Amino acid sequence: MAVSRLPGDPSKTLYRDRLVIKGSIAPLYWYPLWATWQWRGARIAALAPTWAFDPPLPEDETAV
């Protein structure tokens, strides 16, 4: 997993995730895992706006 600022728009976040499966049975699992990964990504995107920001630390408040 990787989280970074969206290039060109620092107010947004770019979230990247990768799942790698190997082996002879991998083609059978590809579509179900892909569908689950898409659903998971949609849920994360829907929930992300509700996540709170970290409050400022006390030393940050005194420096202002």
Side-chain angles (χ1 to χ4, degrees), residues 7-60:
D9 190 352
S11 67
K12 294 191 178 191
T13 303
L14 178 61
Y15 175 82
R16 289 178 267 189
D17 210 356
R18 183 188 303 182
L19 175 65
V20 178
I21 55 170
K22 296 181 181 182
S24 59
I25 200 152
L28 296 175
Y29 285 110
W30 184 86
Y31 182 75
L33 288 173
W34 176 85
T36 302
W37 222 245
Q38 297 304 308
W39 173 80
R40 179 181 176 269
R43 288 296 300 148
I44 289 172
L47 291 172
T50 66
W51 297 338
F53 294 104
D54 292 331
L57 297 173
E59 57 266 10
D60 291 340

